Amino acid sequence: MFMDAPSALDDEDDLIFVSSTSMGSRLNQLMPEKAMDAHVALEQFKSEFMSRYHGGPDFLPLSLKDATVKAFGSDARKRKLLAIYIHHDQSIQANVFCSQLLCSDAVTNFLEQHFVSWAWDVTSAYNKERFLQDCKQILGSGVADTVRKVKKDNYPLLLIAHGRGRQCEVNAIIQANSDLNELMAKLVNAYEESEERKQQEIREEDARIARENIKLEQEEAYRMSLEADRAKVEAELLEARRIEELEEQRRIEETKKEEDMERLRSSIPDEPSPDCKEPLSKVRFRAPDGTTFMRTFLASEKLQTLVNFVGSKGYTPQTHRVLKPWPKTNLLTLDMSSSLQSNKIFPQETLIIEENPDQDSDTCSES
């Protein structure tokens, strides 16, 4: 929908370009007759316009599509209106409109502050048709049909469009028969209406962003919860694996310990009978848990036999030491080939079994 649409229509050959007008003979063309490259053509338009009128809006040297993106493609707070200036060099009003209205400080400054400005020259049939095709695609067929029907002397036109993202709508078409006050009034009115829409769009955009942020926070919390659950499961699996490995290690160690104890038991001579006539050593052992057990040995037995006997009970030299109370002696530090009698473990003795405070020391090799 747009306002101020022109009432004067031209069914004649507005598409026919006459290059030999009085204006055309005095001035350089604002745009090549066939603008094949929009960027090059618009750079020429901007340069020639500034040279001809010594000022004017800062026209973007971009395609119309890119100009709409520049104006409407950002968030609501940064959007601007789009001012589309359509020039016709054969119009009797072109020079007055440009020099006295469009290039006035008030209009130029207002456009610079609140609008993205873009321009095109429809003097040649080729360039007009190209603009109309772009206009139909971007601004709609209604705007394109209206511009197509504008008479030559009703140019220049100033189209005011607002938009949001890819949506674009022309809400005013200002013709050349306006004076400066009318032009400024229409620009200000378009701006004020745009600001009302912008504030509503800002509220909608802020609400949308807030919803998206809440959704992102929820998704992040859910992701972190999943990661925490996954980490917990992994930790539980690792702990279960660790416990299983410890159990397996304990079983291996227990099995080895049992095998060692069995080997030590098989290496120990049988206990002497009560009616044995040889000298005997009766030894009481006090275990770390306070329990006691006794064993009788031949007094001539080697100290190694006594140590092996203690080891067969599970108190190996690697984990425990055997102490003689008086004088306090660690039997594991003595000569294992010496006899019990020579070490005064005779005829009877109480020995104390303690956990070895340092399993790397005070050990001896089995004979």
Side-chain angles (χ1 to χ4, degrees), residues 161-200:
H162 69 273
R164 182 177 183 178
R166 296 183 178 180
Q167 300 175 357
C168 180
E169 182 178 351
V170 173
N171 57 318
I173 298 180
I174 303 173
Q175 297 187 68
N177 57 3
S178 303
D179 61 26
L180 180 58
N181 290 332
E182 289 174 338
L183 176 58
M184 280 301 302
K186 291 176 180 178
L187 291 176
V188 170
N189 182 64
Y191 168 70
E192 290 176 347
E193 290 179 354
S194 171
E195 281 299 295
E196 292 181 5
R197 286 190 296 268
K198 181 187 286 188
Q199 293 305 315
Q200 177 61 30

Side-chain angles (χ1 to χ4, degrees), residues 286-289 314-323 330 332 352-359 362:
R286 179 174 288 116
D289 61 0
Y315 308 111
T316 65
Q318 288 75 29
T319 58
H320 293 77
R321 59 185 180 176
V322 183
L323 302 178
N330 182 359
L332 300 180
I352 301 170
I353 303 172
E354 290 184 351
E355 290 185 357
N356 195 343
D358 184 0
Q359 296 182 13
D362 294 341

Side-chain angles (χ1 to χ4, degrees), residues 39 59-60 80 103 119 141 148-149 153 166 192 197 234 240 246 256-257 263 268 278 294 308 323-324 336 344 354 361:
H39 179 77
F59 296 120
L60 279 180
K80 289 186 174 184
C103 293
S141 58
R148 184 186 296 276
K149 296 173 184 177
D153 287 333
R166 296 183 178 180
E192 290 176 347
R197 286 190 296 268
E234 290 177 356
L246 288 175
K256 184 177 183 304
K257 184 177 179 180
R263 180 173 56 80
I268 301 169
E278 296 184 43
M294 294 189 64
N308 289 349
L323 302 178
K324 184 179 179 183
M336 292 293 107
K344 298 182 180 180
E354 290 184 351
S361 63

Side-chain angles (χ1 to χ4, degrees), residues 65-104:
K65 181 178 180 180
D66 290 340
T68 60
V69 172
K70 179 75 173 177
F72 316 134
S74 59
D75 61 77
R77 287 177 172 82
K78 297 179 181 178
R79 290 180 200 136
K80 289 186 174 184
L81 290 169
L82 177 62
I84 303 173
Y85 174 67
I86 308 175
H87 185 86
H88 198 305
D89 247 350
Q90 295 179 6
S91 171
I92 59 175
Q93 302 190 81
N95 188 57
V96 173
F97 184 85
C98 291
S99 60
Q100 298 183 16
L101 278 71
L102 192 60
C103 293
S104 67

